[in-house]
């Protein structure tokens, strides 16, 4: 039997998978929270839930394909943005089904993609946390501020168009200053970022670890908001707490 992943590629599954390797940190959290023990491998960056205890197979961008195969998975979870097509192809060539999720441009797209993974690919019942997250994020707050949102510093990279994190902020009433940029992750010079008319600079602690001592000093004219990156970019169980935690940080 073949299902189709988010990209429309067939995923030949004989039944409900029992040995799963995840190459996507937010989906690792989603699977382990929903069905503890189903995962037999994850990346070095799969930090949640903290109790996760499985063999590590390298980074998200550069997993060790041999290490993935060593876990004898009957399904590997990947993402179109986080994982390289050549690694997905190598795993499929070795006979391992790979379910590739799309890079969601909105919160609801991320929730829907995760629901498909859990229910259609893994044959699980939709978990309560996913239903709760969908309800919590259904509403959008009226825009009250604009922000520049760096995700890297060497060089400077910021959120651009059609990003999950951008939609997270928009639902909290914070517009992304680069939402209309033609690129999803533009690389403007610092001088341009500093001159951009924005009220806030939102500084997550991942993928680049911005801190109170590394980030705010570059934007003296904007109010800095340090946030947990997982709340901003992960579309797993952390979404349940993310709205409350991010709103508190933004309004603080």
């Amino acid at each position: 039997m073949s299902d189709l992943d988010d990209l429309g590629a067939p995923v030949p599954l004989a039944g409900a998978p029992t040995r799963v390797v995840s190459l996507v940190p937010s989906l690792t959290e989603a699977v382990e929270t929903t069905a503890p023990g189903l995962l037999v491998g994850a990346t070095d960056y799969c930090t949640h839930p903290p109790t996760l205890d499985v063999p590590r197979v390298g980074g998200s961008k550069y997993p060790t394909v041999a290490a993935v195969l060593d876990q004898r998975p009957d399904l590997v979870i990947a993402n179109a943005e986080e994982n390289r097509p050549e690694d997905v192809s190598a795993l499929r060539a070795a006979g391992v089904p790979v379910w590739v999720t799309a890079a969601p441009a909105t919160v609801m797209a991320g929730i829907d993609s995760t629901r498909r993974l859990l229910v259609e690919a893994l044959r699980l019942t939709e978990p309560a946390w996913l239903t709760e997250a969908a309800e919590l994020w259904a509403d959008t707050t009226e825009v009250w501020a604009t922000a520049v949102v760096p995700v890297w510093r060497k060089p400077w990279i910021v959120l651009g168009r059609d990003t999950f994190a951008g939609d997270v902020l928009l639902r909290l009433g914070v517009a992304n200053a680069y939402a209309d940029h033609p690129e999803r992750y533009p690389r403007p010079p610092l001088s341009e970022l500093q001159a951009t008319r924005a009220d806030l600079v939102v500084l997550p602690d991942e993928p680049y670890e911005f801190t109170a001592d590394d980030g705010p000093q570059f934007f003296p004219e904007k109010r800095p908001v340090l946030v947990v990156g997982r709340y901003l970019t992960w579309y797993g169980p952390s979404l349940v707490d993310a709205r409350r935690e991010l709103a508190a940080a933004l309004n603080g």
Side-chain angles (χ1 to χ4, degrees), residues 135-208:
E135 293 172 351
L136 285 170
W137 285 97
D139 295 332
T140 299
T141 302
E142 183 178 351
V143 172
W144 56 271
T146 300
V148 170
V149 191
V151 293
W152 202 256
R153 189 168 83 72
K154 303 173 183 179
W156 287 96
I157 302 175
V158 299
L159 293 184
R161 64 169 179 84
D162 300 333
T163 64
F164 178 89
D167 191 52
V168 164
L169 292 172
L170 188 61
R171 287 173 184 271
L172 294 169
V174 177
N176 174 14
Y178 282 84
D180 295 327
H181 196 280
E183 297 178 15
R184 296 187 73 227
Y185 296 99
R187 302 185 176 200
L190 178 59
S191 58
E192 179 183 316
L193 295 178
Q194 292 170 330
T196 299
R197 298 187 66 177
D199 311 286
L200 312 175
V201 54
V202 176
L203 300 163
D205 62 4
E206 63 173 41
Y208 184 90

Side-chain angles (χ1 to χ4, degrees), residues 16-68:
T18 59
R19 297 184 60 82
V20 177
V21 172
S22 173
L23 304 180
V24 188
S26 65
L27 296 177
T28 297
E29 181 188 33
V31 174
E32 180 67 12
T33 300
T34 305
L38 188 58
L39 291 175
V40 296
T43 76
D44 298 337
Y45 298 99
C46 294
T47 58
H48 285 73
T51 55
L52 180 68
D53 183 18
V54 295
R56 303 297 171 152
V57 297
S60 300
K61 278 291 183 187
Y62 300 99
T64 303
V65 172
V68 176

